[in-house]
Amino acid sequence: LYWDPGVTWSFRMQGRAEGRVQVYVDPYRNEILGEDRYKDKFLQWVYDLHVNLLLGEWGELLNGWGGFALALTSLSGLVIWWPGRRWWKQGFVYETRARWKRQNYDLHKVGGFWTALPLLLLAVTGAYWTFPQAYESVLEFCFGGPAKIATPRVRPQPAVTPRSLDDALAAARVALPAGVPTLFRPAAKPNETHSLHHILPGDWRTQGDNVVYIDPYTAQVVRVTLHQDLPLAARLQRDIFALHFGTFWGHPSRIAWLFVGLSPLLLFVTGLLMWWNRSLSKKRWFRVAPAASALPPRS
């Protein structure tokens, strides 16, 4: 829901049987322009592979511990990369005229340095979805204050007809006129509120962390939550999403995160070649050499 005159409204729904469904609506004519069903699609398969390795809850658990393993690998890579205070410049050298083995080593060395910290960030933030309560407890212990702010609730009124969404949106926009509306979440249960996310000047997350909560029965503002007024632990908890998906600087950060996401493949291939050159190739040579020396001399 980007408040742009030329952009359609996009509604995302989740069903047990249908899976994720994206519906696009003309905000002026109230007509459905199209829909996108993710069930049985390749992108949904990629999403499930990334989230739970196609193994359900067990896969999600393995994924979380894998994130910690990647974080540890990134930190150890930085330690191994350090060439010493006297020769620190050598850590950034890439010999373009050297043999392929040296170029492979330099590619692993330089590429590993520039992607180690972003990979560490991706790994640590990604494991949050597996261990959310543990993360929130650590944030509260380190920074004090609550790490998660509960959304307000309303008293269900079965005999009252809920107000229209137009009324709810209008009330939310009046409550925070300086913000740009980005995401509207309708109440999914009788005791829940509508919520409208806003971006304020200076915000770096594209979705916006400033939220107006509306009573669906009266279309009145229940609470306005400004990101800058939240405790530090709660702000860091909200920032995990943007840091993991690279939405903190718009398209530039998304593109940068795309290359960072591909870097483990590069580091794996170059590291495998380094291991082959240092280990297996030497063992193979030592196996061949005695056999060759055991041949009888030529007459």
Side-chain angles (χ1 to χ4, degrees), residues 15 19 35 39 47 55 90 105 114 118 164 180 206 211 246 258 286:
E35 63 179 41
K39 186 179 180 180
Y47 175 84
L55 298 175
Q90 295 298 320
Y105 170 78
W114 289 113
S164 68
V180 178
T206 56
V211 189
L258 173 63
F286 280 118

Side-chain angles (χ1 to χ4, degrees), residues 71-133:
L72 181 62
T73 303
S74 301
L75 287 175
S76 62
L78 285 176
V79 174
I80 297 174
W81 166 86
W82 177 244
R85 185 173 59 181
R86 185 177 179 181
W87 307 100
W88 67 270
K89 292 184 179 179
Q90 295 298 320
F92 302 95
V93 173
Y94 180 84
E95 295 288 348
T96 57
R97 299 182 180 181
R99 299 179 60 185
W100 74 268
K101 292 183 179 181
R102 175 57 189 270
Q103 290 194 40
N104 179 78
Y105 170 78
D106 288 346
L107 184 60
H108 186 88
K109 173 187 65 178
V110 178
F113 172 81
W114 289 113
T115 59
L117 291 181
L119 280 177
L120 175 65
L121 184 61
L122 283 174
V124 172
T125 54
Y128 166 79
W129 280 273
T130 304
F131 311 103
Q133 295 181 351

Side-chain angles (χ1 to χ4, degrees), residues 227-292:
H227 184 69
Q228 62 182 7
D229 295 337
L230 295 177
L232 179 57
R235 286 182 307 200
L236 292 176
Q237 187 271 344
R238 290 188 170 200
D239 291 340
I240 287 176
F241 180 93
L243 291 174
H244 184 74
F245 290 97
T247 58
F248 47 88
W249 283 334
H251 291 305
S253 59
R254 286 173 179 263
I255 295 174
W257 251 223
L258 173 63
F259 287 101
V260 172
L262 294 174
S263 62
L265 177 61
L266 172 67
L267 296 176
F268 172 77
V269 173
T270 54
L272 182 63
L273 290 175
M274 290 166 54
W275 171 71
W276 173 272
N277 294 330
R278 293 180 178 180
S279 302
L280 290 186
S281 62
K282 292 182 180 180
K283 291 181 180 180
R284 183 180 179 184
W285 184 86
F286 280 118
R287 288 178 181 177
V288 175

